């Protein structure tokens, strides 16, 4: 059940010096009447259907935050089906108890841990549900990720990158939820911003979110922040025995997400890009080396090419000449 707030909002101005007024979301609602619950939920969602159950009906929502982010907790005893438009919002859910299944932009989630509901249309079904939804403004999250004009976010998956990342998200959500649940801290501009910034920073490192900027590190190609980190790591460490797992760790992505990001932006794999960088580095050494004291095989081995024959064939394919010809220039 993705979150939001109803009309219970108030405005807050940090001081009297003309700072921008912020919208504070401070809302709590509870009922044991299904009709009242449906009326409230329909103010937030396109479609809702609550089913009568054998247990007494209970519904409660608590929402705290501002226009950048809010933390919403929903508890509903009845089976429910919802349809939501997450336009401009990234939802991060954490089911506490009950049954829950959701679909967001065609991707289904049946969560045992934290998960994303990406911007767009989403649906969910639940029963005896207790769930915490952190709702992040995509515009604010994008500004936090980069102040550069034209920056956009790409969401390559809905699950955390690892159990460790998931645990970090839970800690950040608990911290922010505690701050926002305290009405005095909720209205304290610095404390609220700190809590929301912690959510933004942790979301960007917990989930496969690419920050794509309208600039490039590789010959006119628009690279995401994660791919740029990977490319830089490869270029800085091509002379070391690194593998795709090391590159993924440096990019702060899973191996699968890294492979997909490279295919999307560079039409290659991280391993192939590493070989290309090593080949270019070997060419630089060949151009600088003294053919009287240095051989092709030693340079090839220095850059991780154990088979000199395959190295020479690949080199000729790339540069139109054999390594020996480059060395003897």
């Amino acid at each position: 059940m993705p979150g939001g707030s109803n009309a219970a909002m108030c405005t807050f101005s940090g001081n009297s010096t003309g700072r921008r007024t912020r919208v504070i979301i401070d809302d709590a609602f509870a009922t044991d009447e299904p009709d009242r619950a449906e009326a409230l939920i329909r103010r937030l969602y396109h479609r809702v259907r609550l089913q009568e159950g054998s247990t007494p009906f209970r519904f409660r929502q608590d929402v705290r935050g501002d226009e950048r982010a809010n933390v919403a907790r929903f508890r509903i005893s009845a089976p429910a089906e919802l349809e939501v438009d997450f336009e401009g919002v990234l939802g991060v859910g954490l089911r506490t108890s009950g049954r829950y299944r959701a679909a967001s932009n065609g991707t289904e989630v049946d969560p045992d841990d934290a998960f994303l509901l990406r911007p767009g249309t989403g649906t969910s079904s639940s029963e005896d549900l207790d769930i915490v939804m952190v709702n992040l403004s995509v515009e604010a999250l994008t500004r936090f990720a980069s102040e550069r004009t034209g920056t956009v976010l790409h969401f390559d998956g809905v699950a955390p990158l690892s159990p460790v990342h998931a645990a970090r998200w839970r800690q950040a959500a608990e911290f922010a939820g505690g701050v926002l649940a305290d009405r005095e801290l909720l209205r304290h501009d610095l404390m609220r911003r700190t809590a929301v910034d912690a959510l933004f920073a942790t979301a960007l490192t917990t989930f496969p979110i690419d920050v794509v900027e309208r600039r490039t590190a590789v010959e006119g190609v628009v690279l995401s922040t994660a791919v740029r980190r990977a490319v830089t790591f490869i270029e800085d460490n091509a002379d070391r025995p690194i593998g795709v797992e090391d590159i993924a760790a440096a990019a702060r992505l899973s191996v699968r997400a890294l492979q997909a990001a490279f295919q999307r932006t560079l039409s290659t794999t991280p391993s192939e890009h590493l070989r290309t960088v090593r080949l270019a580095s070997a060419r630089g050494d060949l151009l600088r080396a003294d053919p009287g004291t240095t051989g092709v095989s030693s340079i090839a081995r220095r850059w991780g090419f154990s088979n000199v024959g395959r190295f020479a064939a690949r080199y000729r394919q790339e540069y139109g000449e054999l390594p020996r010809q480059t060395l003897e220039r």
Side-chain angles (χ1 to χ4, degrees), residues 8 13 73 76-78 105 112 115 153 171 177 196 207 214 221 236 241 249 257 285 302 307:
S13 179
R73 183 170 185 177
I76 181 169
S77 62
N105 283 340
D112 289 324
F115 60 92
L153 302 180
Q171 292 171 354
V196 171
F207 298 97
R214 298 297 188 241
V221 181
D236 291 344
D285 282 1
R302 180 187 304 166
N307 188 304

Side-chain angles (χ1 to χ4, degrees), residues 226-267:
V227 173
R228 190 179 301 110
R229 282 195 296 261
V231 167
T232 300
F233 177 79
I234 288 171
E235 292 173 349
D236 291 344
N237 297 276
D239 60 336
R240 300 176 60 240
I242 60 172
V244 67
E245 293 84 2
D246 304 300
I247 300 169
R252 303 174 200 164
L253 292 176
S254 67
V255 170
R256 183 177 179 181
L258 179 72
Q259 300 276 13
F262 262 70
Q263 286 289 353
R264 184 176 63 249
T265 57
L266 296 176
S267 299

